[in-house]
Amino acid sequence: MGEIEKMNHTKVTEFIILGFYELPEMQLFLFLLFLIIYLMCLTGNLLIIFTVCSDSHLHSPMFFFLSNLSFLEICYVTVTVPKLLAVLIAQNKTISFMQCMIQMYLFLACTDTEFYLLTAMAYDRYVAICKPLHYTIIMNKKVCIILAIVSWTIAFLNPVSYVTLMSQSFFCSSNKINHFFCDATALMSLLCSGTYAIETLTYIEGSLLGFTPLILTVISYVYIISAILKIQSAKGRQKTFSTCSSHLTVVLLFYGTSFGVYMRPKSAYSMDLNKLFTVVYITVIPLLNPLIYSLRNKELKETLWKTTRRTIFF
């Protein structure tokens, strides 16, 4: 039996990404839709990075983390969307085994990075609202850089063991991935063996490294909301809350869709529903993040408008 599994495993040198095969008549429409979303994601996030870097008034911890988040969103969509576009328009559905593992690794690393960056941003908002007099001392340039480096480093180390186990597992004769990229849950359904070790590792890492950012973010907002409620005037409470409302909106969107993708019980699991959640997770959130921050932050909105007008003029 082991020889048969090994033989089947060695035959899987490439995978076939099925994409949205259920909608053959909408392939061109979907291609145009995802192309527009991809270009808008790149434009919006690049504009935020350029604006923050070029304007000295925006050289603060909040905008430093925002530019990190914008760069991450560019990585997010670039890891998955270009291959999806190739699947939709060129019918190039194949992806090599190594490319599939790399895509899965980069996607998981980007996901983890977003968890940690959002946690760092929550801590920044906590210090700004709960310890305003010590804000510049606590959130100095060195601390911000360390928080960013730690977030990126841990996030890119975290999926190594998972992807290593997945790449060494035995795949069944089917090499068709019922998704629009090399999604971990879709690949798990193709495994013949090794699922127990991978599932155990997922639960352990998910508990330690996945829920820790969530708990820290929740704790930060408990203190933030408590501090806001202590403010006497309604106008003061509204003004203070507006400084963290953008971040809170992004946190709710990101955690809500990520839990929808990965934390649903198996009895409620549907690959079609999984694709829908993942589309929001991968494309809509990176598209909305620049809009949410720019529309809710007056200083960033004004600077973005000036930068856009200057760019169009030149």
Side-chain angles (χ1 to χ4, degrees), residues 91-149:
Q91 295 299 303
N92 180 18
K93 297 180 183 293
T94 59
I95 185 170
S96 71
F97 185 88
M98 183 58 69
Q99 287 174 338
C100 188
M101 293 298 114
I102 291 171
Q103 188 186 50
M104 180 175 63
Y105 166 75
L106 290 174
F107 174 74
L108 293 172
C110 287
T111 303
D112 289 346
T113 306
E114 183 136 6
F115 281 123
Y116 299 134
L117 282 178
L118 288 175
T119 305
M121 294 172 83
Y123 177 69
D124 170 67
R125 292 299 83 206
Y126 157 74
V127 176
I129 292 171
C130 299
K131 300 179 184 294
L133 299 178
H134 301 93
Y135 179 68
T136 54
I137 299 171
I138 297 172
M139 295 303 294
N140 58 63
K141 188 176 180 180
K142 184 180 178 181
V143 170
C144 292
I145 292 171
I146 289 171
L147 284 172
I149 291 172

Coordinates of all heavy atoms in Angstrom, one line a residue, residues 91-149:
Q91 N -6.6 30.1 -20.2 CA -6.9 28.7 -19.9 C -5.7 28.0 -19.5 O -5.5 26.8 -19.7 CB -7.6 28.0 -21.1 CG -9.0 28.6 -21.4 CD -10.0 28.5 -20.3 OE1 -10.2 27.3 -19.8 NE2 -10.5 29.6 -19.8
N92 N -4.7 28.7 -18.9 CA -3.4 28.1 -18.5 C -3.6 27.7 -17.0 O -3.3 28.3 -16.1 CB -2.3 29.1 -18.6 CG -1.0 28.5 -18.1 OD1 -0.8 27.3 -18.0 ND2 0.0 29.4 -17.8
K93 N -4.3 26.5 -16.9 CA -4.7 26.0 -15.6 C -3.6 25.3 -14.8 O -3.8 25.0 -13.6 CB -6.0 25.2 -15.7 CG -7.2 25.9 -16.3 CD -8.3 25.0 -16.4 CE -9.5 25.7 -17.1 NZ -10.1 26.7 -16.2
T94 N -2.5 24.9 -15.4 CA -1.5 24.1 -14.7 C -0.6 25.0 -13.9 O -0.3 26.1 -14.3 CB -0.7 23.2 -15.8 OG1 -0.1 24.1 -16.7 CG2 -1.6 22.3 -16.5
I95 N -0.1 24.4 -12.9 CA 0.9 25.0 -12.0 C 1.8 23.9 -11.5 O 1.3 22.9 -11.1 CB 0.3 25.8 -10.9 CG1 1.4 26.6 -10.1 CG2 -0.5 25.0 -10.0 CD1 0.8 27.6 -9.1
S96 N 3.1 24.1 -11.6 CA 4.1 23.0 -11.1 C 3.9 22.8 -9.6 O 3.5 23.7 -8.9 CB 5.5 23.4 -11.5 OG 6.0 24.5 -10.7
F97 N 4.4 21.7 -9.2 CA 4.3 21.3 -7.8 C 5.1 22.3 -6.9 O 4.5 22.8 -5.9 CB 4.9 19.9 -7.6 CG 4.8 19.4 -6.2 CD1 3.7 18.7 -5.7 CD2 5.8 19.6 -5.2 CE1 3.5 18.2 -4.4 CE2 5.7 19.1 -3.9 CZ 4.6 18.5 -3.5
M98 N 6.3 22.7 -7.4 CA 7.1 23.6 -6.6 C 6.4 25.0 -6.6 O 6.4 25.7 -5.5 CB 8.5 23.7 -7.2 CG 9.4 24.7 -6.4 SD 9.6 24.2 -4.7 CE 10.5 22.6 -4.9
Q99 N 5.9 25.5 -7.7 CA 5.3 26.8 -7.8 C 4.0 26.8 -6.9 O 3.8 27.8 -6.2 CB 4.9 27.1 -9.2 CG 6.0 27.5 -10.1 CD 5.6 27.6 -11.6 OE1 4.6 27.1 -12.0 NE2 6.4 28.3 -12.3
C100 N 3.3 25.7 -6.8 CA 2.1 25.6 -6.0 C 2.5 25.7 -4.5 O 1.9 26.5 -3.7 CB 1.4 24.3 -6.2 SG -0.2 24.2 -5.4
M101 N 3.6 25.0 -4.1 CA 4.0 25.1 -2.7 C 4.5 26.5 -2.4 O 4.2 27.0 -1.3 CB 5.2 24.1 -2.5 CG 4.8 22.6 -2.6 SD 3.6 22.2 -1.3 CE 2.1 21.8 -2.4
I102 N 5.2 27.2 -3.3 CA 5.7 28.5 -3.1 C 4.5 29.5 -2.9 O 4.5 30.4 -2.1 CB 6.7 29.0 -4.2 CG1 8.0 28.2 -4.1 CG2 6.9 30.5 -4.1 CD1 8.9 28.4 -5.3
Q103 N 3.5 29.3 -3.8 CA 2.4 30.2 -3.7 C 1.6 30.0 -2.4 O 1.2 31.0 -1.8 CB 1.4 29.9 -4.9 CG 0.3 30.9 -5.0 CD -0.8 30.6 -6.0 OE1 -1.3 29.4 -6.1 NE2 -1.1 31.5 -6.9
M104 N 1.5 28.8 -2.0 CA 0.8 28.5 -0.7 C 1.6 29.1 0.4 O 1.0 29.8 1.3 CB 0.6 27.0 -0.5 CG -0.1 26.7 0.8 SD -0.4 24.9 1.0 CE 1.2 24.2 1.0
Y105 N 2.9 29.0 0.4 CA 3.7 29.5 1.5 C 3.6 31.0 1.5 O 3.4 31.6 2.6 CB 5.2 29.1 1.3 CG 6.2 29.9 2.1 CD1 6.3 29.6 3.5 CD2 6.9 31.0 1.6 CE1 7.1 30.4 4.3 CE2 7.8 31.7 2.3 CZ 7.9 31.4 3.7 OH 8.7 32.2 4.5
L106 N 3.7 31.7 0.4 CA 3.7 33.2 0.4 C 2.3 33.7 0.8 O 2.2 34.7 1.5 CB 4.0 33.7 -1.0 CG 5.5 33.5 -1.5 CD1 5.6 33.9 -3.0 CD2 6.4 34.3 -0.6
F107 N 1.2 33.0 0.4 CA -0.1 33.4 0.8 C -0.3 33.3 2.3 O -0.8 34.2 3.0 CB -1.2 32.5 0.1 CG -2.6 32.8 0.6 CD1 -3.2 33.9 0.2 CD2 -3.2 31.9 1.5 CE1 -4.5 34.2 0.7 CE2 -4.5 32.2 1.9 CZ -5.1 33.3 1.5
L108 N 0.2 32.1 2.9 CA 0.1 32.0 4.4 C 0.9 33.0 5.1 O 0.5 33.5 6.2 CB 0.5 30.5 4.7 CG -0.4 29.4 4.3 CD1 0.3 28.0 4.6 CD2 -1.8 29.5 4.9
A109 N 2.1 33.3 4.6 CA 3.0 34.3 5.2 C 2.4 35.7 5.2 O 2.4 36.4 6.2 CB 4.4 34.3 4.5
C110 N 1.8 36.0 4.1 CA 1.1 37.3 4.0 C -0.1 37.4 4.9 O -0.3 38.4 5.5 CB 0.6 37.5 2.5 SG 1.9 37.9 1.4
T111 N -0.8 36.3 5.0 CA -2.0 36.3 6.0 C -1.5 36.5 7.4 O -2.0 37.3 8.1 CB -2.7 34.9 5.9 OG1 -3.1 34.7 4.6 CG2 -3.9 34.9 6.8
D112 N -0.4 35.8 7.8 CA 0.1 35.9 9.2 C 0.7 37.3 9.4 O 0.5 37.9 10.5 CB 1.2 34.9 9.4 CG 0.7 33.5 9.5 OD1 -0.5 33.3 9.7 OD2 1.5 32.5 9.4
T113 N 1.3 37.9 8.4 CA 1.9 39.2 8.5 C 0.8 40.3 8.8 O 0.9 41.2 9.6 CB 2.6 39.7 7.2 OG1 3.6 38.7 6.9 CG2 3.3 41.0 7.4
E114 N -0.4 40.1 8.1 CA -1.5 41.0 8.3 C -2.0 40.9 9.7 O -2.3 41.9 10.4 CB -2.6 40.8 7.3 CG -3.8 41.7 7.4 CD -4.3 42.3 6.1 OE1 -3.8 41.8 5.0 OE2 -5.1 43.2 6.1
F115 N -2.1 39.7 10.3 CA -2.5 39.5 11.7 C -1.6 40.3 12.6 O -2.1 41.1 13.5 CB -2.5 38.1 12.1 CG -3.7 37.3 11.6 CD1 -3.5 36.1 10.8 CD2 -5.0 37.6 12.0 CE1 -4.6 35.4 10.4 CE2 -6.1 36.9 11.5 CZ -5.9 35.8 10.7
Y116 N -0.3 40.2 12.4 CA 0.7 40.8 13.3 C 0.7 42.3 13.1 O 0.9 43.1 14.1 CB 2.1 40.2 13.1 CG 2.1 38.7 13.4 CD1 2.7 37.8 12.6 CD2 1.5 38.2 14.6 CE1 2.7 36.4 12.9 CE2 1.4 36.8 14.8 CZ 2.1 36.0 14.0 OH 2.0 34.6 14.3
L117 N 0.7 42.8 11.9 CA 0.7 44.2 11.6 C -0.6 44.9 12.2 O -0.5 46.0 12.8 CB 0.8 44.5 10.1 CG 2.2 44.4 9.5 CD1 2.1 44.6 8.0 CD2 3.2 45.3 10.1
L118 N -1.7 44.3 12.1 CA -2.9 44.8 12.6 C -2.8 44.9 14.2 O -3.4 45.8 14.8 CB -4.2 44.0 12.2 CG -4.6 44.2 10.7 CD1 -5.7 43.2 10.4 CD2 -5.0 45.6 10.4
T119 N -2.1 43.9 14.8 CA -1.9 43.9 16.2 C -1.0 45.0 16.6 O -1.3 45.7 17.6 CB -1.3 42.6 16.7 OG1 -2.2 41.5 16.2 CG2 -1.2 42.5 18.2
A120 N 0.1 45.3 15.9 CA 1.0 46.4 16.1 C 0.2 47.7 16.0 O 0.5 48.6 16.8 CB 2.2 46.3 15.2
M121 N -0.6 47.8 15.0 CA -1.4 49.0 14.8 C -2.4 49.2 16.0 O -2.7 50.4 16.4 CB -2.1 49.0 13.5 CG -1.2 49.0 12.3 SD -2.0 48.7 10.7 CE -2.6 50.4 10.4
A122 N -3.0 48.1 16.5 CA -3.9 48.2 17.6 C -3.1 48.7 18.9 O -3.6 49.6 19.6 CB -4.5 46.9 17.9
Y123 N -1.9 48.3 19.1 CA -1.0 48.7 20.2 C -0.7 50.2 20.0 O -0.8 51.0 21.0 CB 0.2 47.9 20.2 CG 1.2 48.4 21.3 CD1 0.9 48.2 22.7 CD2 2.4 49.0 21.0 CE1 1.8 48.6 23.7 CE2 3.3 49.4 22.0 CZ 3.0 49.2 23.3 OH 3.8 49.7 24.3
D124 N -0.5 50.6 18.8 CA -0.2 52.0 18.5 C -1.4 52.9 18.9 O -1.2 54.0 19.5 CB 0.1 52.2 17.0 CG 0.2 53.7 16.6 OD1 1.1 54.4 17.1 OD2 -0.7 54.1 15.8
R125 N -2.6 52.5 18.5 CA -3.8 53.2 18.9 C -4.0 53.2 20.4 O -4.5 54.2 21.0 CB -5.0 52.6 18.2 CG -5.0 52.8 16.6 CD -5.0 54.2 16.2 NE -3.7 54.8 16.2 CZ -3.4 56.1 16.4 NH1 -4.4 57.0 16.6 NH2 -2.2 56.6 16.3
Y126 N -3.7 52.1 21.1 CA -3.8 52.0 22.5 C -3.0 53.0 23.2 O -3.4 53.8 24.1 CB -3.5 50.6 23.0 CG -3.1 50.5 24.4 CD1 -4.0 50.6 25.5 CD2 -1.7 50.3 24.8 CE1 -3.6 50.6 26.8 CE2 -1.3 50.3 26.1 CZ -2.2 50.4 27.1 OH -1.9 50.4 28.4
V127 N -1.7 53.1 22.8 CA -0.8 54.1 23.4 C -1.2 55.5 23.1 O -1.2 56.4 24.0 CB 0.7 53.8 22.9 CG1 1.6 54.9 23.4 CG2 1.2 52.4 23.2
A128 N -1.7 55.8 21.9 CA -2.1 57.1 21.5 C -3.3 57.6 22.3 O -3.3 58.8 22.6 CB -2.4 57.1 20.0
I129 N -4.2 56.7 22.6 CA -5.4 57.1 23.3 C -5.3 57.0 24.8 O -5.8 57.8 25.6 CB -6.6 56.3 22.8 CG1 -6.9 56.6 21.3 CG2 -7.9 56.5 23.6 CD1 -7.9 55.7 20.6
C130 N -4.7 55.9 25.3 CA -4.6 55.7 26.7 C -3.4 56.3 27.4 O -3.4 56.6 28.6 CB -4.6 54.1 27.0 SG -6.1 53.3 26.4
K131 N -2.3 56.5 26.6 CA -1.1 57.1 27.2 C -0.6 58.2 26.3 O 0.5 58.2 25.8 CB 0.0 56.1 27.4 CG -0.4 54.9 28.3 CD 0.7 53.9 28.4 CE 0.3 52.7 29.2 NZ 0.1 53.1 30.7
P132 N -1.5 59.2 26.0 CA -1.1 60.3 25.0 C 0.1 61.1 25.4 O 0.9 61.5 24.5 CB -2.4 61.2 25.0 CG -3.0 60.9 26.3 CD -2.8 59.5 26.7
L133 N 0.4 61.3 26.7 CA 1.5 62.1 27.1 C 2.9 61.4 26.8 O 3.9 62.0 26.7 CB 1.4 62.5 28.5 CG 0.2 63.4 28.9 CD1 0.1 63.7 30.4 CD2 0.2 64.7 28.1
H134 N 2.8 60.1 26.8 CA 4.0 59.3 26.6 C 4.1 58.6 25.2 O 5.0 57.8 25.0 CB 4.1 58.1 27.7 CG 4.1 58.6 29.1 ND1 2.9 58.7 29.8 CD2 5.1 59.0 29.9 CE1 3.2 59.2 31.0 NE2 4.5 59.4 31.1
Y135 N 3.2 59.1 24.4 CA 3.1 58.4 23.0 C 4.4 58.5 22.2 O 4.9 57.5 21.7 CB 1.9 59.1 22.2 CG 1.8 58.5 20.9 CD1 1.3 57.2 20.7 CD2 2.0 59.3 19.7 CE1 1.2 56.7 19.4 CE2 1.9 58.8 18.4 CZ 1.4 57.4 18.3 OH 1.3 56.9 17.0
T136 N 5.0 59.7 22.1 CA 6.2 59.9 21.3 C 7.4 59.2 21.9 O 8.3 58.8 21.2 CB 6.5 61.4 21.2 OG1 6.6 62.0 22.5 CG2 5.4 62.1 20.4
I137 N 7.3 59.0 23.3 CA 8.5 58.3 23.9 C 8.3 56.8 23.7 O 9.3 56.1 23.3 CB 8.5 58.6 25.4 CG1 8.7 60.1 25.7 CG2 9.6 57.8 26.1 CD1 8.5 60.5 27.1
I138 N 7.1 56.3 23.9 CA 6.9 54.8 23.8 C 7.0 54.4 22.3 O 7.7 53.4 21.9 CB 5.5 54.4 24.4 CG1 5.5 54.7 25.9 CG2 5.2 52.9 24.1 CD1 4.2 54.5 26.5
M139 N 6.2 55.1 21.4 CA 6.2 54.7 20.0 C 7.2 55.5 19.2 O 6.9 56.2 18.2 CB 4.8 55.0 19.5 CG 3.7 54.1 20.1 SD 4.0 52.3 19.9 CE 3.9 52.1 18.1
N140 N 8.5 55.4 19.6 CA 9.5 56.1 18.9 C 9.9 55.3 17.6 O 9.4 54.2 17.4 CB 10.8 56.3 19.8 CG 11.3 55.0 20.3 OD1 11.7 54.1 19.6 ND2 11.3 54.8 21.6
K141 N 10.7 55.9 16.8 CA 11.1 55.3 15.5 C 11.7 53.9 15.7 O 11.3 52.9 14.9 CB 12.1 56.2 14.8 CG 12.3 55.8 13.3 CD 13.3 56.8 12.7 CE 13.5 56.3 11.2 NZ 14.5 57.3 10.5
K142 N 12.5 53.7 16.6 CA 13.2 52.4 16.9 C 12.1 51.3 17.2 O 12.2 50.2 16.7 CB 14.2 52.5 18.0 CG 15.0 51.2 18.2 CD 16.0 51.4 19.3 CE 16.8 50.1 19.6 NZ 17.8 50.3 20.7
V143 N 11.2 51.6 18.1 CA 10.2 50.7 18.5 C 9.3 50.3 17.3 O 9.0 49.1 17.1 CB 9.3 51.3 19.6 CG1 8.1 50.4 19.9 CG2 10.1 51.4 20.9
C144 N 8.9 51.3 16.5 CA 8.1 51.0 15.3 C 8.8 50.1 14.3 O 8.2 49.1 13.8 CB 7.7 52.3 14.6 SG 6.6 53.4 15.5
I145 N 10.1 50.3 14.1 CA 10.9 49.5 13.2 C 11.0 48.0 13.7 O 10.8 47.1 13.0 CB 12.2 50.1 12.9 CG1 12.1 51.4 12.1 CG2 13.1 49.1 12.2 CD1 13.4 52.2 12.0
I146 N 11.2 47.9 15.0 CA 11.3 46.6 15.6 C 10.0 45.8 15.5 O 10.0 44.7 15.2 CB 11.7 46.7 17.1 CG1 13.2 47.2 17.2 CG2 11.5 45.4 17.9 CD1 13.6 47.5 18.6
L147 N 8.9 46.5 15.8 CA 7.6 45.9 15.7 C 7.3 45.4 14.3 O 6.8 44.3 14.1 CB 6.5 46.9 16.1 CG 6.3 47.1 17.6 CD1 5.3 48.2 17.9 CD2 5.8 45.8 18.4
A148 N 7.7 46.2 13.3 CA 7.4 45.8 11.9 C 8.3 44.6 11.5 O 7.8 43.7 10.9 CB 7.7 47.0 11.0
I149 N 9.6 44.7 11.9 CA 10.5 43.6 11.6 C 10.1 42.3 12.2 O 10.1 41.2 11.6 CB 12.0 44.0 12.0 CG1 12.5 45.1 11.1 CG2 12.9 42.7 11.9 CD1 13.9 45.6 11.6

